[in-house]
Amino acid sequence: SSDLPFEAYAQQVRDAAATGFAIDRGFTHRGVCTVAAGIAGIAPGFSLSASIVAGSRTDAEIEALGRALAALRDELMLQAA
């Protein structure tokens, strides 16, 4: 397994802050791509996530999944308010 260089990690954090979702392309679990949207506004904090077999979806499909999870998170936050 390879380590994730700090600068790559920092860029992923910046990307997640900008898009509202994060993508783990197999660093946590080899062969698994996980997309997640955090729900920080509801204590104690939760997340919505979906995991797929790495390489089974295009980058565009993974991005669309992230946007869908972020939209679902936003809808849940509105309902909780």
Side-chain angles (χ1 to χ4, degrees):
S1 79
S2 62
D3 292 331
L4 180 63
F6 178 78
E7 186 49 44
Y9 168 77
Q11 183 61 53
Q12 288 180 6
V13 171
R14 288 189 294 271
D15 292 346
T19 62
F21 61 90
I23 302 171
D24 178 343
R25 298 182 186 272
F27 285 101
T28 301
H29 300 288
R30 186 173 25 169
V32 178
C33 177
T34 300
V35 183
I39 308 174
I42 301 174
F46 298 92
S47 68
L48 297 169
S49 66
S51 296
I52 57 174
V53 174
S56 68
R57 298 289 185 258
T58 65
D59 286 346
E61 290 172 316
I62 293 169
E63 295 286 330
L65 176 58
R67 288 190 302 274
L69 287 171
L72 177 58
R73 182 239 1 253
D74 294 345
E75 180 63 30
L76 291 172
M77 292 295 297
L78 285 174
Q79 291 179 14

